[in-house]
Amino acid sequence: MSKKITIITDAGKLDAAIVEVNKRAGSLADSIQLVLASAVFQATYGRNTNHLNATIMAAGKGVRKTAIAQWVLAHAPVVMETDKDKAKESPFRFSADKLAELFPETENVKAITLEEATAHAEAALGQHWTEHKEPPLVPESFDVLAQVRKLLQSAKAMQTKGVKIVHGDMLAKLQAAMPVAQNEVSPL
């Protein structure tokens, strides 16, 4: 049976709860970092990806999982599992090629030493997983004319529904400029 949750109505108690959440979030992020670096050691030295896979599965969905996955792919000798059924339980698989990329100075990556694996994991520990956030997608171009057309269509639809259009004079100016704008290319 799940615990009954009661909304915090007292502002002071809510402030204290927010401080506690912040402390726990920081502690959790650091705990995840230690687990990840330790799992990188296991994958590097023992070719064991079980801990990495268990950690990513425990991360749930969303931004945290994305950041952890990006961190793992940057620091661990693994690649994404391409078999969809296998990936449901083990998203990463060991890659000897990736291990060679991570240890370019090592002549025989099949014989990574305990010291090399430890040094690699410690270096990974120093690069926090929370810094591996997916950058926002930025389009290569933005078609202003297409966006103005969409705006005019939306405004027209609102007018037919009887919605009052605020600053409607601007729409009239945009509409008047449309035939000219269709043949012009912006210098930007």
Side-chain angles (χ1 to χ4, degrees), residues 39-49 94 112 117:
V40 163
F41 171 82
Q42 293 295 324
T44 302
Y45 190 65
R47 312 316 192 245
N48 179 353
T49 61
F94 180 80
I112 297 289

Side-chain angles (χ1 to χ4, degrees), residues 144 185-188:
V144 173
V185 176
S186 173
L188 296 177

Side-chain angles (χ1 to χ4, degrees), residues 17-161:
I18 291 169
V19 168
E20 184 64 25
V21 165
N22 193 27
K23 285 180 187 176
R24 287 184 183 181
S27 177
L28 176 61
D30 290 344
S31 294
I32 291 170
Q33 182 68 17
L34 177 59
V35 166
L36 285 171
S38 301
V40 163
F41 171 82
Q42 293 295 324
T44 302
Y45 190 65
R47 312 316 192 245
N48 179 353
T49 61
N50 294 341
H51 299 99
L52 288 170
N53 284 315
T55 304
I56 196 71
M57 297 305 286
K61 296 180 181 180
V63 175
R64 179 185 294 163
K65 185 172 187 173
T66 300
I68 289 172
Q70 289 177 346
W71 187 94
V72 167
L73 291 171
H75 299 285
V78 297
V79 294
M80 296 298 294
E81 176 59 67
T82 55
D83 182 294
K84 288 184 181 183
D85 290 332
K86 288 181 183 177
K88 289 177 184 175
E89 292 187 26
S90 297
F92 303 113
R93 63 181 165 79
F94 180 80
S95 169
D97 291 339
K98 183 71 180 286
L99 183 63
E101 286 177 29
L102 293 171
F103 291 86
E105 272 96 53
T106 302
E107 289 182 28
N108 182 6
V109 293
K110 291 183 180 181
I112 297 289
T113 66
L114 177 65
E115 292 78 19
E116 289 172 316
T118 301
H120 178 71
E122 286 174 351
L125 182 63
Q127 297 178 18
H128 214 276
W129 68 270
T130 56
E131 299 301 317
H132 284 264
K133 297 174 185 165
E134 195 167 323
L137 296 176
V138 178
E140 290 184 25
S141 65
F142 181 79
D143 188 341
V144 173
L145 185 58
Q147 296 302 316
V148 170
R149 284 187 184 128
K150 285 181 185 179
L151 173 65
L152 291 171
Q153 287 174 346
S154 295
K156 187 176 182 178
M158 292 294 122
Q159 284 175 327
T160 60
K161 293 178 181 177

